Amino acid sequence: VDLSKPPTFVALDPFVVNLAAGEGDRLLQVVMALRVSDPKLADGLKGFMPEIRHRINLILRGKLPSELATPEGQEALAQKIMDDINEVLGFPPNKGGARPIVGNTTGPIQAVLFNSFIIQ
């Protein structure tokens, strides 16, 4: 880790969505941040934010509470969100099936980090 070059994070506005029906009416409130590969990208993301938020909303609304109850489920969600955002930015997801190591991805979004994750 090069401490003279700290990572760049982009905080997203909170999301509050109804989760998929099937296990009762449940809400998800999540606050997340994106780790990006380049500080210049942080400002450039603003132009893509309506589509990024739309895609994240669709992903979140399609989840069942049971899918998000485990750390593995939350990691899979973070991976899906990262892949979708990178696709919006013109970097299709890795089709090799292997999950990339955090910080070693094919696109400019290196990680999706959950700061708060509440299912009610």
Side-chain angles (χ1 to χ4, degrees), residues 77-119:
L77 176 64
Q79 181 68 41
K80 172 69 172 145
I81 292 170
M82 183 179 73
D83 289 344
D84 272 33
I85 296 172
N86 278 328
E87 188 173 12
V88 166
L89 300 175
F91 295 85
N94 179 6
K95 298 293 184 191
R99 186 181 187 285
I101 298 169
V102 172
N104 185 18
T105 126
T106 59
I109 305 301
Q110 297 177 328
V112 173
L113 306 163
F114 298 122
N115 296 328
S116 174
F117 199 94
I118 301 169
I119 299 173

Side-chain angles (χ1 to χ4, degrees), residues 37-55:
S37 61
D38 184 344
K40 295 175 189 172
L41 179 64
D43 288 331
L45 279 179
K46 291 177 186 172
F48 292 92
M49 204 50 68
E51 185 173 357
I52 289 170
R53 288 193 59 83
H54 170 74
R55 289 216 186 180

Side-chain angles (χ1 to χ4, degrees), residues 45-72:
L45 279 179
K46 291 177 186 172
F48 292 92
M49 204 50 68
E51 185 173 357
I52 289 170
R53 288 193 59 83
H54 170 74
R55 289 216 186 180
I56 293 172
N57 268 307
L58 290 177
I59 293 167
L60 296 176
R61 288 186 197 136
K63 294 294 181 184
L64 294 168
S66 60
E67 293 176 292
L68 303 175
T70 65
E72 294 81 14

